[in-house]
């Protein structure tokens, strides 16, 4: 066992000190301040007029039907997006893994490009695709098929599904890449042993591949749930939380309360509730 001297330990601490300072200033500090701010009535436009109100911000949220609508929208978005992403990403990864190296590389690039693209740019493209007027590409296709144009983003029943479709299309490449890494980590000897017995591809997938991919699936499930609960950009660009509150999520509600209504205490309370929800789900 190697025992580091005090001088070596000091060197280790000095190496991690810059990262620790950045973490404390930009992450841990604001998190702690948001906990404190959630207990105050604080208007961003009147600096220095913070009033301690205890749990009044949380009580106000729990009495607000808009908050529960945002919570429901976020839950629906997560419950649909995450399973679809995992299923599609796994299917694509299995297909690419079975393809040849050259074909697999082409497919990897094609599926991964949307993920590295700007979410704002992708959202603007989708706003053009699903424009509620007849100039929208999807509505032009409907007109060509002798069907009536649809108000994709102005219809409370369709706006959230469009946002879910955007998120799945953009993020499926990331899930595919992670699953490919998990598939490549499975020892080839296992499949060689199985090939000695007459077993179908379906049983091989159910009894061998999926159990060995369990750590990868768990990682993706946790990270995608956290990302889904924090969805903001596509909602803000496509619908701004509308029509009505049909697509308002917890983060968009936080943004509205904090940077439009300037109620930073209320916004901090939403952040704390979101933190607790994600902490419970992660555990």
């Amino acid at each position: 066992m190697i025992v580091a001297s005090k001088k070596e330990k000091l060197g280790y601490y000095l190496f991690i000190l810059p990262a620790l300072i950045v973490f404390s200033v930009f992450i841990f500090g604001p998190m702690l301040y948001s906990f404190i701010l959630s207990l105050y009535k604080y208007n961003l436009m009147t600096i220095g007029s913070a009033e301690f109100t205890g749990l009044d911000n949380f009580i106000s949220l729990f009495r607000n039907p808009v908050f529960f609508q945002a919570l429901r929208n976020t839950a629906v978005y997560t419950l649909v997006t995450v399973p679809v992403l995992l299923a599609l990403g796994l299917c694509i990864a299995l297909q690419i893994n079975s393809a040849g190296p050259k074909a697999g590389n082409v497919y990897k690039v094609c599926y991964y490009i949307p993920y590295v693209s700007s979410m704002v740019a992708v959202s603007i493209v989708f706003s053009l695709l699903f424009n509620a007027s007849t100039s929208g590409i999807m509505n032009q296709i409907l007109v060509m098929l002798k069907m009536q144009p649809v108000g994709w983003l102005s219809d409370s029943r369709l706006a959230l599904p469009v946002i879910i479709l955007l998120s799945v299309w953009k993020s499926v490449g990331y899930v595919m890449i992670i699953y490919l890494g998990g598939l490549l980590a499975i020892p080839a000897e296992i499949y060689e042993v199985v090939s000695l017995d007459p077993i179908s591809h379906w049983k091989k997938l159910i009894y061998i591949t999926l159990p060995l991919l369990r750590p990868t699936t768990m990682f993706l499930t946790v990270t995608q749930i956290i990302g889904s609960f924090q969805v903001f950009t596509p909602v803000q660009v496509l619908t701004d939380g509308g029509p009505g509150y049909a697509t308002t999520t917890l983060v968009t509600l936080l943004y509205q309360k904090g940077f439009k209504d300037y109620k930073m205490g209320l916004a901090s309370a939403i952040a704390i509730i979101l933190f607790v929800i994600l902490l419970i789900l992660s555990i």
Side-chain angles (χ1 to χ4, degrees), residues 34-43 49-61 63 263-269:
S34 66
F35 273 99
I36 298 172
L37 201 59
S38 67
L39 303 176
Y40 285 80
K41 181 180 179 182
Y42 176 61
N43 192 309
S49 62
E51 176 187 351
F52 181 79
T53 56
L55 299 176
D56 284 358
N57 287 324
F58 296 94
I59 296 172
S60 176
L61 285 175
R63 290 177 177 174
K263 298 177 179 179
M264 297 305 295
L266 204 59
S268 297

Side-chain angles (χ1 to χ4, degrees), residues 45-89:
M45 301 303 291
T46 55
I47 299 176
S49 62
E51 176 187 351
F52 181 79
T53 56
L55 299 176
D56 284 358
N57 287 324
F58 296 94
I59 296 172
S60 176
L61 285 175
F62 290 133
R63 290 177 177 174
N64 189 349
V66 175
F67 170 76
F68 288 101
Q69 177 70 25
L71 183 60
R72 189 185 76 86
N73 291 338
T74 306
V76 170
Y77 174 88
T78 302
L79 289 173
V80 175
T81 303
V82 174
V84 172
L85 269 175
L86 294 181
L88 275 179

Side-chain angles (χ1 to χ4, degrees), residues 46 48 68 71 82 89 101-102 139 141 154-155 179 191 197 210 216 245 247 251 259 265:
T46 55
F68 288 101
L71 183 60
V82 174
K102 291 184 179 179
N139 277 341
I141 294 174
S154 59
D155 190 331
Y179 265 129
Y191 292 109
D197 294 325
L210 291 182
T216 305
Y245 295 101
T247 59
V251 178
F259 298 99

Side-chain angles (χ1 to χ4, degrees), residues 100-244:
K102 291 184 179 179
N105 290 333
V106 173
Y107 289 130
K108 288 177 193 175
V109 173
C110 292
Y111 280 109
Y112 198 70
I113 283 177
Y115 179 72
V116 297
S117 302
S118 166
M119 177 59 89
V120 174
V122 171
S123 300
I124 292 173
V125 170
F126 265 72
S127 69
L128 298 175
L129 285 172
F130 292 95
N131 194 295
S133 67
T134 53
S135 62
I137 296 176
M138 294 302 296
N139 277 341
Q140 289 181 9
I141 294 174
L142 293 178
V143 170
M144 290 173 58
L145 297 174
K146 308 299 181 183
M147 299 172 66
Q148 292 295 323
V150 176
W152 299 99
L153 299 175
S154 59
D155 190 331
S156 59
R157 298 169 299 176
L158 298 176
L160 189 58
V162 171
I163 293 172
I164 291 173
L165 177 63
L166 183 156
S167 300
V168 170
W169 178 82
K170 188 179 187 305
S171 300
V172 71
Y174 168 77
V175 177
M176 174 265 299
I177 288 292
I178 300 299
Y179 265 129
L180 272 174
L183 289 171
L184 293 174
I186 298 176
E189 292 82 1
I190 295 178
Y191 292 109
E192 291 175 1
V193 172
V194 173
S195 64
L196 300 175
D197 294 325
I199 183 173
S200 65
H201 292 290
W202 178 253
K203 289 185 177 180
K204 188 187 299 184
L205 173 66
I206 296 297
Y207 296 110
I208 298 175
T209 305
L210 291 182
L212 292 174
L213 284 177
R214 189 175 298 166
T216 305
T217 302
M218 183 61 66
F219 166 77
L220 285 171
T221 300
V222 173
T223 55
Q224 292 304 309
I225 286 176
I226 292 173
S228 296
F229 263 86
Q230 295 175 338
V231 61
F232 173 75
T233 305
V235 177
Q236 189 68 20
V237 174
L238 288 176
T239 63
D240 195 21

